[in-house]
Amino acid sequence: LSLYNRLIRQNEELREEYEAVKDEVDATSNNALHALKAREDEVDDLKSTVDAMRSRIQSMETDHSDAHSKWARDKMELMKTESDNRRELARVNREVDDLKERERRASGRNTENNSLQLFELRAERDNLHAKLADSQNEVELLNEKLSAAKCDMGVL
């Protein structure tokens, strides 16, 4: 009987120990399940964040590609405009040079014309001076004749 009682008591102690261990295992298991669930939620959040980042990166890559394409188009257009501007500048410079040459030639002709006109005007002036001198000499001769005539007539 005492063995039986001892076995029953041991059995009860083992059952109590078993229940305590079982409660501890259940509590630990529950805690681990809660921790695991929290970790799974964190992983899901991280996956969502990664997906959002991938989407953003893809969007940025598309934007970059579009911007690069626009930059390449703008660069080509700028190079064409620059080339057109250089051609236009060269054309304008040629026109300016042509106008300068025409002006130089016209100035040369004007100088020649002016020189010829100046020569002609000087010759005409000289002729007019000569005629004036002749006229003055003639007037003096006439004055002398007039004075002589007055003397002859006794007017003086």
Side-chain angles (χ1 to χ4, degrees), residues 50-68:
V50 167
D51 288 344
M53 292 175 103
R54 281 186 181 141
S55 175
R56 179 74 178 128
I57 288 169
Q58 187 175 20
S59 174
M60 290 171 79
E61 286 174 345
T62 300
D63 291 347
H64 173 75
S65 177
D66 292 347
H68 182 74

Side-chain angles (χ1 to χ4, degrees), residues 26 28-29 37 65 67 72 86 104 112 129 144 154:
D26 286 346
T28 303
S29 176
K37 176 66 174 133
S65 177
R86 282 190 186 134
R104 185 190 64 73
E112 291 168 9
H129 278 297
E144 286 176 14

